[in-house]
Amino acid sequence: MKKDKLEQFIISNRDKFDEFEPDPALFERIRKPKPVIPMFSWNNVLWKAAAVLVIFVASYYFHDYMSPRQPIPQTAEATSEQPSEMIQMMIEAEAFYTAQIDDRRRELNLLAQDQPEIQLEINYELVELDSIYADLKRDLKDNASNEEVIEAMIQNYRIKLDILEDVLSQMRSARNEETETNQTNDVNL
């Protein structure tokens, strides 16, 4: 086996290389831990960004797949006529019920002139129903073709009318009993 020149030089001068001992402080400096320098890796950042993007796209398509589809109107005429019919129907219903409610309120005010607590209570109930009606009207502006909102608005008017009718019937019957009692007392005298 042939040895190269460097290897022969090292073998022949080995004793000279071991002649000097290293400084003991040198080993202390080698053992001393070096401060950890945080490493910034673009690969790590790119992997995390790619994972976030994949999760976002997957969740978007999952949500899109799971959400119910809104029916698409068949023709342009159907979309333009339907809201106007519903709005016209709502305007007519609003006029009818407003007139009925105004009549009942006038009659109630006449019958309950001497009972302000009843008038206050009825006004309180009607104000609450008016606020609910205002909320429904805002919902209707958001979605003009929503039949459920229009039905709820008409139901609100019916509830107002029912409340007024109930109070009026109770006041009429109380007034009739009072009149009959007065007539009986007049006859007995």
Side-chain angles (χ1 to χ4, degrees):
M1 200 164 163
K2 196 173 182 182
K3 295 182 182 176
D4 65 352
K5 291 181 180 178
L6 178 63
E7 190 174 357
Q8 284 181 346
F9 178 77
I10 291 173
I11 292 171
S12 63
N13 296 315
R14 185 171 194 95
D15 293 336
K16 290 181 185 175
F17 286 127
D18 290 338
E19 186 174 303
F20 300 106
E21 288 290 322
D23 185 19
L26 175 69
F27 289 111
E28 292 298 322
R29 286 189 302 227
I30 292 172
R31 287 185 194 135
K32 186 177 176 183
K34 294 182 178 180
V36 178
I37 300 170
M39 299 294 292
F40 182 77
S41 170
W42 279 104
N43 286 338
N44 195 15
V45 172
L46 289 175
W47 274 107
K48 289 178 182 176
V52 168
L53 184 65
V54 167
I55 291 170
F56 176 76
V57 169
S59 64
Y60 173 78
Y61 281 111
F62 178 75
H63 180 270
D64 189 46
Y65 178 74
M66 295 302 289
S67 65
R69 302 274 178 210
Q70 295 292 329
I72 299 172
Q74 297 296 324
T75 61
E77 293 177 9
T79 58
S80 64
E81 289 180 15
Q82 191 175 15
S84 66
E85 287 179 21
M86 295 178 79
I87 290 172
Q88 184 64 29
M89 182 183 79
M90 187 60 213
I91 290 171
E92 290 174 5
E94 196 172 43
F96 172 76
Y97 283 111
T98 301
Q100 295 288 318
I101 289 170
D102 287 344
D103 287 344
R104 301 304 185 279
R105 287 185 89 170
R106 270 187 245 117
E107 188 177 351
L108 179 69
N109 287 338
L110 288 174
L111 289 174
Q113 284 178 345
D114 53 342
Q115 299 169 335
E117 65 276 354
I118 292 175
Q119 289 179 344
L120 285 175
E121 190 173 327
I122 293 298
N123 286 338
Y124 177 75
E125 294 289 329
L126 294 179
V127 166
E128 281 189 12
L129 288 169
D130 285 342
S131 72
I132 293 170
Y133 184 82
D135 290 341
L136 290 170
K137 209 168 190 175
R138 270 185 250 124
D139 289 345
L140 186 64
K141 286 180 182 174
D142 293 342
N143 187 2
S145 63
N146 195 344
E147 291 182 30
E148 292 176 1
V149 174
I150 291 175
E151 288 177 13
M153 292 171 76
I154 291 173
Q155 184 64 26
N156 185 295
Y157 277 123
R158 288 181 183 149
I159 291 171
K160 283 182 191 176
L161 204 54
D162 287 344
I163 290 172
L164 289 170
E165 287 289 340
D166 286 344
V167 172
L168 280 173
S169 70
Q170 289 175 6
M171 293 192 73
R172 286 179 198 140
S173 65
R175 189 154 292 221
N176 286 342
E177 287 177 12
E178 186 177 301
T179 305
E180 288 175 9
T181 306
N182 288 342
Q183 287 176 351
T184 307
N185 288 341
D186 288 342
V187 171
N188 288 338
L189 291 177

